[in-house]
Amino acid sequence: MSSSAPRQKVAVVTGASSGIGYAITRQLAKHNYQVYACARRLEPIETLVDEFSTTLIKPYKLDVSSMEDIIKFKNFLSETLREGKLDVLYNNAGQSCTFPALDVTDAMVEQCFKVNVFGHINMCRELAQFLINAKGTIVFTGSTAGVISFPFGSIYSASKAAIHQYARGLHLELKPFGVRVINAVTGGVSTNIADTRPLPQDSIYNFEEGQEAFKARQLMAKNNRPMSADVYAEKLMNDILSSRDPLDVYRGTMSSILSWVSLIVPYCVLEWGLVKKFKLEKVFAVLKKKDVKKD
């Protein structure tokens, strides 16, 4: 009597239409995973379908900020997953928010947290049983911004710090079920996530020196020799295939160095370094002069 064919491993990747998500989807397919490549825009994923076929790449339209979309996806997987098993959930969908702390609107904050925090939490909760069934792996695209709050990035940093802590709790709570949780503390990676929105007209930083500093911050990743998304994905694929259970892995340009700096350098010194790095001395000088004139 012949035995049934072995079950093909299955992965879900969010934010799969570009950058890290696209590269991770490609790596998983190379390792013969059937990948549900989830994104709001499916057209860019068609090139992966052409490369690997519809057997391995399954595009799925999903907005992680929509609870309705997530529930529909869960129901879809309930009907399609063999033995109800999901081997990898890669929470990669991301929303940038590079804006001065006093200029962010409620809508900006809400959208950033809906995608970077609530979306991942909701995906984990709703798909948890599939991962438990497979003793699978959950991965988050964390960030060095969740460790060091860079200027003009307080909201993005707050969202990444939140998901880092969620990953820590999840890592502990899923241990009894044999589910691994990996938080990829990500440094510079060449993607198109950079925020290009200009300063508001009424921003306190809307003057020549402030605009220059703001622009430099927007180009931070691009100007610091970011790792290619393909190289990053290869490294993360090794983490997924490994039997280790480290929680935090440091991938991307400067990720390990910046994380160590945050641990050992006093914050006053770190803050001084951020002022120097982003050339904020001139900005602060202008603001102090304006404050004096105002008084």
Side-chain angles (χ1 to χ4, degrees):
M1 188 176 183
S2 61
S3 60
S4 61
R7 182 183 65 86
Q8 183 179 24
K9 289 191 173 184
V10 181
V12 167
V13 179
T14 64
S17 61
S18 64
I20 289 171
Y22 185 95
I24 286 292
T25 298
R26 194 166 187 270
Q27 276 295 319
L28 286 161
K30 278 185 174 182
H31 286 82
N32 203 40
Y33 280 75
Q34 185 181 75
V35 188
Y36 288 97
C38 303
R40 290 177 299 173
R41 297 179 303 112
L42 299 184
E43 294 82 4
I45 301 172
E46 290 303 321
T47 55
L48 290 175
V49 176
D50 293 340
E51 183 178 356
F52 292 102
S53 83
T54 55
T55 303
L56 291 180
I57 304 293
K58 304 282 189 181
Y60 190 97
K61 190 174 180 63
L62 174 69
D63 180 353
V64 299
S65 68
S66 166
M67 195 64 225
E68 182 181 358
D69 273 16
I70 292 173
I71 295 298
K72 285 181 179 178
F73 184 51
K74 175 188 178 180
N75 293 337
F76 168 77
L77 291 180
S78 295
E79 297 173 358
T80 57
L81 287 178
R82 184 175 171 183
E83 301 174 23
K85 292 182 176 181
L86 176 63
D87 299 279
V88 175
L89 169 59
Y90 205 113
N91 291 294
N92 170 70
Q95 173 69 53
S96 183
C97 188
T98 302
F99 242 63
L102 300 184
D103 290 329
V104 291
T105 64
D106 282 351
M108 289 178 183
V109 176
E110 183 177 354
Q111 182 61 20
C112 187
F113 272 78
K114 268 188 173 181
V115 176
N116 294 353
V117 184
F118 304 148
H120 300 330
I121 291 172
N122 292 336
M123 287 288 286
C124 289
R125 183 186 63 248
E126 297 303 323
L127 305 190
Q129 190 59 57
F130 304 138
L131 289 148
I132 290 170
N133 293 344
K135 297 187 184 300
T137 299
I138 298 172
V139 186
F140 296 95
T141 301
S143 174
T144 52
V147 179
I148 297 176
S149 187
F150 298 104
F152 306 126
S154 59
I155 300 304
Y156 182 75
S157 290
S159 72
K160 287 301 183 179
I163 208 62
H164 286 195
Q165 294 306 315
Y166 174 73
R168 277 166 161 45
L170 197 66
H171 183 269
L172 175 62
E173 292 175 19
L174 292 184
K175 272 184 177 295
F177 304 101
V179 176
R180 294 190 308 152
V181 175
I182 298 172
N183 179 42
V185 183
T186 303
V189 178
S190 183
T191 69
N192 62 356
I193 195 176
D195 201 330
T196 58
R197 291 173 291 188
L199 283 171
Q201 286 298 314
D202 60 351
S203 172
I204 60 173
Y205 295 100
N206 193 17
F207 51 88
E208 184 178 351
E209 293 85 354
Q211 290 170 356
E212 289 176 2
F214 181 65
K215 188 66 176 178
R217 171 62 181 88
Q218 287 183 320
L219 296 173
M220 179 181 74
K222 182 179 179 181
N223 291 340
N224 285 275
R225 291 182 281 185
M227 179 182 289
S228 78
D230 289 334
V231 171
Y232 176 93
E234 287 177 13
K235 292 178 181 293
L236 259 296
M237 193 68 229
N238 289 333
D239 295 320
I240 292 169
L241 295 174
S242 169
S243 59
R244 298 184 305 110
D245 187 23
L247 176 59
D248 290 333
V249 297
Y250 300 89
R251 303 289 178 255
T253 302
M254 298 291 287
S255 57
S256 296
I257 293 172
L258 289 175
S259 294
W260 275 108
V261 165
S262 71
L263 289 173
I264 63 177
V265 175
Y267 188 73
C268 61
V269 177
L270 176 58
E271 196 172 62
W272 174 84
L274 291 173
V275 170
K276 292 292 184 182
K277 168 68 176 174
F278 293 96
K279 298 179 173 58
L280 294 174
E281 298 102 324
K282 292 181 180 179
V283 177
F284 291 175
V286 171
L287 289 171
K288 286 178 181 178
K289 284 182 181 179
K290 284 185 175 183
D291 192 50
V292 170
K293 289 179 181 179
K294 188 176 179 181
D295 292 343

